[in-house]
């Protein structure tokens, strides 16, 4: 969700900060802002817009509840230039989306905040401070006046209260009083070429300047923000505090002990966020799925040895094959769309491998008493690898004695990958749209490969079956392309759905999680209330909702449950319900009044969920388009959920 960018340089870096915010817009935000230090020297660019119009040795900020483009206009109008600054996009948690709640937050010291008051501390923050109310009361008792409803303002005042001439020492001391999740970047009026950052529970990276930018240093919550600025990245670890100055930087752990972290070369391609010929990123990403699946499967010619080599992440410890032989069950932890991919994989694992599989909503798992099982493989699934609830669930599982851990993730440099012994990296590419599409299908592909790998390790996969499954997987990009060709027919469905306020999705067995995912997509971006049920549960309650005003979407592959599903469909028709059915070509379901059928190009056996979910993505997209909602940035939602 929220985005952070910071810079320390002798040139004007305001453009770098704004560009970084633009590259983080996909994460979702409802306000944005920037603060600079006017005493940080900058080179005159010849435009005449020097810093002379700004107060000397001061902190200046500008904030907006509109888009980053509007923030840029304010910056241009006010001629804001500096070599040292911090910037932020905020997704509201504490306090409504309003300018006074937008970041950066200032501390003017004790006493009332007047027009003449001088800002001493500027701070931006991702995360949630759980003990902010206690800290707020303590600081108010000391004379600090709060002007926002945010938890973030507490940190700014706390740093000010602890400041004694050394910003790094003040930030380090402040972090030792914070409880919750945070990534912060802080400036002080008296130290013009200095930005201090810290992280706990929220991601933060350091960008090290090289070549023409040598001596400059940057902070960001995502390497994408620094694409084209530097590819030399340091990933801060839990509790790290970093001091950025001109020509130097250093890090300590949470106790203030000096530490070193590796500098990695990270190619964050800014071109990946170009929209191209598509109207929205979601549409672009739906149509990128054949390529994303092909990239995710690239190089896997057999389960043994290529897949085990792909799954293992050296030097993470014991290899995948040894781990897969040792485990006797699987625990999957995930949230949202990733949770539905795990629910799908449960069917594969239990049928094809014979291993018990437990799927947990990550945000619930660590808050209940669970029975530790050290021989269990813990699998986390996350597009970003920074999902706060899933990371916390992983750490909880490890604290209970679970040592066999594997993540399926789209970001090779993420915290999830670093904290698991094994990883399988999907290659969906950058996903901008908040409603996940290609990340979901690549997760399913990776989970099916995991199923094959476990079946191989457990002696449950014959060479003939392995070869057939891999042939089917290599055919997936072509099969997905054929499904995408159904778009015109799905657009006709969307016109009917756009006038509705409720919808029901039905599936059975392996395709029930796909119905769940279809309902989630529709509600996320069209704001139509949608629910999904196992079709056999209709008569246990949901049937009471069925009328002609409630469209019922049914995922109907030609599998062992098809005849049962047809009976459930008759229950809907008998109550005047209107059915929209995604059926395989040989399922013998024909369109009639009240029964709308789109035939899938081919039946795809256990891999059918990867094909059936694509029409549901298109249905959600075109319904949202017809309703005029913000497809890529749906209200109240964020792309990367880095807070609980």
């Amino acid at each position: 969700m929220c985005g952070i960018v910071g810079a320390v340089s002798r040139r004007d870096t305001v453009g770098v900060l704004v560009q970084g915010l633009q590259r983080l817009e996909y994460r979702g935000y409802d306000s944005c802002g920037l603060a600079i230090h006017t005493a940080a020297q900058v080179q005159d660019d010849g435009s005449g817009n020097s810093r002379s119009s700004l107060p000397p040795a001061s902190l200046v900020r500008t904030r907006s509840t509109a888009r980053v483009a509007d923030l840029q206009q304010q910056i241009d109008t006010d001629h804001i230039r500096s070599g040292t600054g911090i910037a932020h996009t905020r997704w509201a948690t504490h306090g409504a989306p309003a300018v006074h709640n937008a970041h950066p937050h200032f501390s003017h010291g004790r006493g009332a905040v007047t027009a003449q008051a001088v800002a001493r501390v500027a701070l931006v923050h991702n995360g949630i401070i759980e003990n902010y109310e206690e800290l707020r009361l303590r600081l108010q008792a000391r004379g600090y006046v709060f002007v926002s409803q945010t938890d973030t303002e507490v940190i700014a005042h706390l740093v000010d209260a602890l400041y004694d001439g050394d910003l790094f020492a003040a930030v380090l001391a402040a972090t030792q009083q914070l409880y919750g999740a945070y990534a912060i970047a802080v400036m002080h009026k008296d130290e013009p070429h200095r930005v201090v950052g810290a992280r706990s529970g929220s991601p933060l990276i350091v960008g090290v300047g090289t070549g023409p930018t040598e001596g400059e240093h940057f902070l960001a919550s995502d390497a994408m923000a620094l694409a084209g600025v530097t590819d030399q990245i340091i990933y801060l670890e839990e509790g790290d505090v970093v001091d950025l100055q001109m020509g130097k930087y250093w890090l300590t752990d949470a106790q203030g002990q000096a530490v070193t972290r590796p500098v990695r070369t990270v190619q964050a391609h800014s071109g990946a966020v170009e929209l191209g010929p598509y109207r929205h990123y979601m549409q672009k990403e739906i149509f990128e799925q054949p390529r994303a699946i092909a990239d995710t499967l690239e190089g896997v010619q057999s389960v043994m040895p290529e897949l085990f080599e792909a799954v293992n992440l050296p030097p993470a410890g014991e290899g995948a094959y040894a781990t897969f032989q040792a485990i006797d069950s699987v625990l999957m932890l995930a949230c949202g769309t990733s949770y539905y991919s795990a629910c799908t994989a449960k069917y594969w694992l239990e049928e094809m491998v014979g291993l018990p599989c437990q799927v947990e909503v990550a945000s619930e798992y660590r808050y209940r008493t669970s029975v530790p099982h050290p021989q269990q493989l813990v699998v986390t699934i996350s597009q970003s690898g920074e999902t706060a609830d899933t990371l916390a669930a992983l750490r909880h599982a490890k604290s209970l004695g679970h040592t066999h851990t594997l993540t399926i993730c789209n970001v090779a440099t993420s915290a999830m990958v670093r904290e698991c012994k094994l990883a399988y990296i999907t290659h969906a590419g950058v996903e901008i749209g908040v409603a996940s599409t290609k990340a979901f299908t690549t997760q399913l592909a990776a989970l099916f490969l995991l199923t094959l790998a476990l079946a191989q390790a457990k002696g449950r996969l014959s060479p003939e079956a392995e070869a057939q499954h891999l042939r089917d997987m290599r055919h997936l990009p072509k099969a997905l392309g054929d499904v995408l060709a159904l778009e015109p027919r799905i657009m006709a469905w969307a016109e009917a759905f756009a006038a509705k306020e409720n919808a029901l999705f039905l599936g059975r067995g392996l395709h029930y999680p796909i119905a769940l995912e279809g309902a989630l997509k529709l509600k996320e971006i069209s704001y139509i209330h949608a629910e999904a049920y196992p079709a056999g549960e209709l008569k246990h309650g949901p049937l009471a909702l069925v009328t002609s005003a409630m469209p019922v979407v049914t995922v109907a592959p030609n599998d062992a449950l098809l005849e049962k599903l047809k009976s459930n469909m008759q229950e809907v028709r008998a109550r005047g319900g209107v059915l929209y059915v995604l059926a395989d070509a040989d399922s013998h379901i024909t369109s009639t009044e009240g029964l709308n059928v789109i035939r899938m190009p081919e039946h795809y056996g256990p891999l059918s969920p990867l094909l059936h979910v694509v029409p549901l993505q298109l249905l959600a997209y075109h319904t949202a388009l017809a309703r005029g909602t913000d497809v890529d940035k749906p209200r109240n939602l964020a792309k990367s959920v880095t807070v609980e």
Side-chain angles (χ1 to χ4, degrees):
M1 42 181 67
C2 309
I4 288 174
V5 192
V8 175
S9 173
R10 294 198 183 277
R11 66 179 172 115
D12 180 22
T13 56
V14 170
V16 171
L17 299 176
V18 173
Q19 185 181 67
L21 293 187
Q22 289 171 332
R23 289 179 177 155
L24 296 179
E25 284 188 288
Y26 76 94
R27 297 165 71 100
Y29 68 105
D30 41 44
S31 64
C32 53
L34 173 143
I36 55 98
H37 202 301
T38 62
Q41 297 177 20
V42 298
Q43 299 171 357
D44 195 331
D45 61 4
S47 68
N49 296 334
S50 69
R51 59 184 173 85
S52 59
S53 61
L54 299 173
S58 65
L59 299 174
V60 173
R61 71 180 170 188
T62 182
R63 300 179 289 178
S64 173
T65 54
R67 289 306 186 198
V68 175
D70 298 275
L71 184 71
Q72 178 69 70
Q73 290 182 355
Q74 294 181 32
I75 290 167
D76 294 341
T77 299
D78 296 337
H79 305 313
I80 294 176
R81 298 176 65 234
S82 179
T84 302
I86 54 178
H88 191 263
T89 51
R90 174 181 186 250
W91 186 81
T93 53
H94 296 66
V99 171
H100 68 279
N101 288 327
H103 299 216
H105 283 281
F106 277 176
S107 176
H108 296 81
R110 303 180 192 182
V113 181
T114 65
Q116 292 74 38
V118 176
R120 293 159 48 92
V121 172
L123 180 143
V124 294
H125 163 227
N126 291 352
I128 290 177
I129 303 303
E130 296 180 12
N131 63 332
Y132 83 99
E133 290 177 322
E134 171 195 336
L135 292 171
R136 187 183 182 109
L137 290 172
R138 281 168 38 195
L139 289 161
Q140 285 175 327
R142 295 184 60 180
Y144 285 91
V145 176
F146 287 77
V147 297
S148 78
Q149 288 78 51
T150 68
D151 53 337
T152 301
E153 192 180 1
V154 167
I155 317 174
H157 290 318
L158 181 60
V159 170
D160 181 80
L162 295 168
Y163 185 78
D164 189 22
D166 185 344
L167 180 60
F168 184 84
V171 172
L172 178 63
T175 61
Q176 293 168 355
Q177 298 185 40
L178 301 178
Y179 179 67
Y182 57 82
I184 57 175
V186 194
M187 300 189 300
H188 195 280
K189 178 183 74 70
D190 295 338
E191 302 185 58
H193 284 298
R194 196 177 201 185
V195 172
V196 177
R199 68 148 295 188
S200 178
S202 290
L204 193 65
I205 65 168
V206 175
V208 180
T210 60
T213 64
E214 187 172 0
E216 301 178 344
H217 297 107
F218 307 90
L219 279 177
S221 50
D222 188 321
M224 179 64 70
L226 303 180
V229 178
T230 180
D231 61 359
Q232 299 301 292
I233 302 297
I234 299 170
Y235 288 88
L236 300 185
E237 297 188 8
E238 200 72 358
D240 282 356
V241 184
V242 62
D243 192 343
L244 303 185
Q245 299 188 38
M246 278 300 306
K248 58 184 177 180
Y249 67 88
W250 61 87
L251 298 93
T252 73
D253 60 18
Q255 287 70 48
Q257 299 298 309
V259 293
T260 58
R261 305 296 183 210
V263 180
R264 307 183 186 192
T265 301
V266 176
Q267 299 295 336
H269 299 291
S270 59
V273 301
E274 298 298 327
L275 188 57
Y278 298 95
R279 294 184 63 179
H280 298 90
Y281 285 108
M282 183 178 179
Q283 182 188 29
K284 175 177 182 275
E285 288 151 10
I286 289 171
F287 278 85
E288 285 177 340
Q289 288 176 113
R291 183 221 27 99
I293 293 290
D295 289 349
T296 297
L297 302 178
E298 185 177 3
V300 179
Q301 301 300 321
S302 66
V303 177
M304 182 71 178
E306 287 92 342
L307 182 55
F308 292 111
E309 291 173 354
V311 170
N312 194 22
L313 187 73
E318 62 179 336
Y321 191 73
T323 297
F324 292 174
Q325 284 189 313
I327 60 103
D328 63 6
S329 58
V330 178
L331 168 64
M332 293 193 174
L333 305 170
C335 298
T337 286
S338 297
Y339 173 76
Y340 296 145
S341 72
C343 290
T344 306
K346 175 183 173 72
Y347 287 89
W348 290 332
L349 286 164
E350 295 195 342
E351 179 177 346
M352 298 172 64
V353 189
L355 286 179
C357 180
Q358 178 183 356
V359 181
E360 294 265 3
V361 175
S363 58
E364 294 292 323
Y365 168 70
R366 70 184 176 119
Y367 293 114
R368 69 173 184 83
T369 302
S370 56
V371 180
H373 187 61
Q375 292 307 108
Q376 203 166 42
L377 175 66
V378 177
V379 178
T380 62
I381 309 171
S382 169
Q383 188 283 133
S384 67
E386 305 289 350
T387 308
D389 289 315
T390 308
L391 274 170
L394 169 65
R395 292 164 186 160
H396 178 64
K398 291 166 74 172
S399 75
L400 295 177
H402 291 273
T403 59
H404 303 305
T405 57
L406 179 147
T407 190
I408 291 173
C409 182
N410 192 38
V411 182
T413 53
S414 64
M416 206 86 69
V417 173
R418 295 196 300 274
E419 295 189 27
C420 285
K421 281 191 173 180
L422 303 169
Y424 190 87
I425 307 302
T426 60
H427 293 281
V430 176
E431 189 177 63
I432 305 297
V434 167
S436 181
T437 53
K438 62 179 181 175
F440 178 71
T441 48
T442 54
Q443 285 172 357
L444 288 178
L447 286 162
F448 194 78
L449 285 173
L450 174 63
T451 300
L452 297 183
L454 285 165
Q456 170 71 261
K458 296 297 185 183
R460 304 248 323 189
L461 188 66
S462 70
E464 295 77 19
E466 172 190 331
Q468 183 59 54
H469 286 310
L470 290 172
R471 279 196 298 271
D472 290 344
M473 296 201 78
R474 286 193 289 272
H475 181 62
L476 272 172
K478 168 63 167 61
L480 284 167
D482 293 340
V483 174
L484 288 167
L486 298 172
E487 184 180 31
R489 299 193 61 192
I490 295 163
M491 291 169 66
W493 281 14
E495 290 299 323
F497 272 71
K500 307 298 183 182
E501 293 302 327
N502 300 280
L504 188 63
F505 286 68
L506 302 178
R508 297 205 71 156
L510 185 63
H511 293 80
Y512 167 50
I514 300 306
L516 287 164
E517 173 63 9
L520 176 62
K521 285 292 155 285
L522 190 67
K523 71 181 77 168
E524 279 181 314
I525 63 170
S526 75
Y527 315 147
I528 293 173
H529 170 248
E531 292 187 66
Y533 269 85
E537 287 293 291
L538 263 178
K539 61 182 72 69
H540 297 289
L543 201 55
L545 297 172
V546 172
T547 69
S548 59
M550 168 82 83
V552 180
V553 180
T554 307
V555 184
N558 189 9
D559 59 15
L561 289 169
L562 179 61
E563 295 306 317
K564 299 285 186 185
L565 184 61
K566 288 180 179 179
S567 297
N568 303 138
M569 291 163 56
Q570 290 301 325
E571 293 169 351
V572 171
R573 294 190 70 190
R575 275 76 182 179
V578 180
L579 285 158
Y580 294 83
V581 183
L582 295 170
D584 285 341
D586 53 356
S587 60
H588 304 295
I589 302 174
T590 305
S591 293
T592 61
E593 185 178 354
L595 176 59
N596 306 279
V597 179
I598 290 179
R599 297 199 180 282
M600 300 292 286
E602 55 185 306
H603 177 58
Y604 222 64
L607 287 168
S608 175
L610 281 87
L611 303 188
H612 274 85
V613 75
V614 174
L616 300 181
Q617 296 169 348
L618 288 168
L619 177 62
Y621 171 73
H622 286 290
T623 302
L625 205 61
R627 287 168 69 94
T629 62
D630 191 339
V631 173
D632 288 329
K633 300 183 181 71
R635 67 189 183 202
N636 305 333
L637 300 180
K639 181 62 182 175
S640 178
V641 184
T642 54
V643 298
E644 279 196 81

